[in-house]
Amino acid sequence: MRHFSFRPSLTLRGRKFKGLRGWAGKPFHPPLTWARDFYRAGTFTLVAGAAVSLLTLLTGFWDWLRSTEAGTQARRTANAHAVTMLTVTALVLADIATRILVYPGHQYTPVVPLVLSLAAATLTVLGGTIGGTLAYDYGFNVETAGDSPVWHRSEVDLGPGEK
């Protein structure tokens, strides 16, 4: 005997679409009234992320200090990753301060926190891509099977597969 039934509640099949009103029995309006709760949840999420980023900052700095040699492509890429992620941290801290000090208890997401959040998210993707290059292309802090030119002193930037 079945004890749960999710499918009928989640399906849109057989429901008439009513444009901006949503589907019959599944209107768009009620979830949008949760904007204040989403704004508060977003603030809590940013605070938790900022706290975790402090540990990430410490481990990243230690990796940079002990695992990269000045003058290498790996160090330059690590520097780009660090600057990008420090910028993200500054944006997130400004976002948190704005949410808590300027717009506490708002019923919606004001423009300034929204712009700060979107900028931080965009730079997080960029910084993650640069960090991924360190790990996946350069084998940074990964035991690799061979030697890579990115670890040799040079003034030339090397792309993947270049010598």
Side-chain angles (χ1 to χ4, degrees), residues 66-77:
R66 298 291 185 185
S67 302
T68 62
E69 184 180 338
T72 63
Q73 176 68 37
R75 172 63 73 97
R76 289 190 296 271
T77 304

Side-chain angles (χ1 to χ4, degrees), residues 37-56:
D37 296 327
F38 287 142
Y39 181 67
R40 291 184 69 219
T43 302
F44 290 133
T45 302
L46 285 170
V47 170
V52 170
S53 75
L54 293 176
L55 295 173
T56 306

Side-chain angles (χ1 to χ4, degrees), residues 18-31:
K18 297 184 174 191
L20 285 177
R21 293 179 52 214
W23 281 268
K26 300 292 179 190
F28 288 153
H29 176 74

